[in-house]
Amino acid sequence: MSTEHQRDALSADEKQLWRGFLKWSETMTSAVERDLTAATGLSAADFQILARLSEADDHRVMQKNIGGWLGWSATRLSHHLARMQERGLLTRASAGAGRRMAITLTDAGARAYENAVPIHAVAVAKHFLDRLDPDARAALLRLGED
Amino acid sequence: MSTEHQRDALSADEKQLWRGFLKWSETMTSAVERDLTAATGLSAADFQILARLSEADDHRVMQKNIGGWLGWSATRLSHHLARMQERGLLTRASAGAGRRMAITLTDAGARAYENAVPIHAVAVAKHFLDRLDPDARAALLRLGED
DNA sequence: CAAGATTGATCTGTCAATCTTT
DNA sequence: AAAGATTGACAGATCAATCTTG
């Protein structure tokens, strides 16, 4: 009989791998966010959005695209962009077909992002990049490229 | 001059590695939780706690220990355990020094966990384990063992 | 109507302050 | 006083339902 089609439970090794990964991943991303937020007042989510806007032509991007890049639901994105707009980091304007929206970085948003870039880079290096050996780096790169 | 002490920004490769990891990690853990919750009504957080209780002698564990194993704050754990107690999955009782608490699995909690184990195993295998080649597996195991 | 976005209710997590027992 | 746990207010995320425009 096969042992593949009806897994009863994880083996001890698999359990260790899964639990270890979860704890490492959560601890590491929390540490990055803690450093970023303490120095800039931006959350990790804020930073990701500002980065995408900052990289775009005219600092302007369709809302739909942001959702795709980050893998966020429409709902989450809508709520988050509303809050960021209230804080003056970006503006929203309807643009074309259906209920399509164009998101634009404000000057204040651009400044907040530029100020945060080096802090973010140091945090990611300290808690993530610097702890990866070449094998781990290659493995994670492969997992992430889909 | 050194390029180490004052990182200005991540390189393109580093950015790809970091963003790719974040998206993969969030997508993958969400997929596991979606499968688990759809079939059992348990969240990933619920499952982790039930698993630790289930593995303990007498299905009983000190609250402090759970926090340490999972890397959770005392606050988060307190709120979460209160909710799980209301759902009848576990009981809380003061035990000894200070404000120490002993957490015990109920029969209903034990049944819910046992029912969820194979579903969880299939989900973790499908979305995580089966997608790791030997190098990735070894690399993640190293990162997680601290 | 279909795609894209929003809304409100609810649930989870965090922060700061507080409480209890030794 | 110190350790461990709780509380309440608030921020962030999710779900289901709804809205808008081509």
Side-chain angles (χ1 to χ4, degrees), chain B residues 61-76:
Chain B
V61 160
M62 289 300 134
Q63 180 163 329
K64 187 89 226 294
N65 292 332
I66 302 179
W69 294 332
L70 303 185
W72 288 15
S73 69
T75 297
R76 177 182 181 186

Side-chain angles (χ1 to χ4, degrees), chain B residues 13-137:
Chain B
D13 282 358
E14 290 169 333
K15 209 182 270 192
Q16 188 190 348
L17 177 59
W18 173 241
R19 290 179 181 182
F21 166 75
L22 277 187
K23 188 172 181 181
W24 166 74
S25 172
E26 283 163 22
T27 304
M28 182 273 291
T29 53
S30 294
V32 171
E33 177 151 30
R34 175 173 30 68
D35 289 359
L36 177 67
T37 304
T40 68
L42 297 173
S43 68
D46 296 334
F47 186 86
Q48 291 192 78
I49 290 177
L50 294 179
R52 301 296 182 158
L53 292 173
S54 182
E55 288 164 6
D57 290 348
D58 303 322
H59 287 183
R60 183 172 174 282
V61 160
M62 289 300 134
Q63 180 163 329
K64 187 89 226 294
N65 292 332
I66 302 179
W69 294 332
L70 303 185
W72 288 15
S73 69
T75 297
R76 177 182 181 186
L77 190 55
S78 179
H79 281 306
H80 204 97
L81 292 175
R83 284 179 235 125
M84 290 182 76
Q85 179 176 37
E86 278 176 14
R87 292 195 282 149
L89 297 170
L90 52 80
T91 60
R92 297 182 291 169
S94 62
R99 210 160 164 172
R100 206 156 298 191
M101 296 293 276
I103 311 299
T104 307
L105 197 59
T106 60
D107 289 350
R111 269 184 268 111
Y113 175 68
E114 276 150 33
N115 173 59
V117 165
I119 290 157
H120 181 259
V122 168
V124 171
K126 175 178 177 188
H127 301 296
F128 180 64
L129 299 172
D130 291 355
R131 307 199 174 191
L132 303 177
D133 57 41
D135 285 350
R137 192 181 273 251

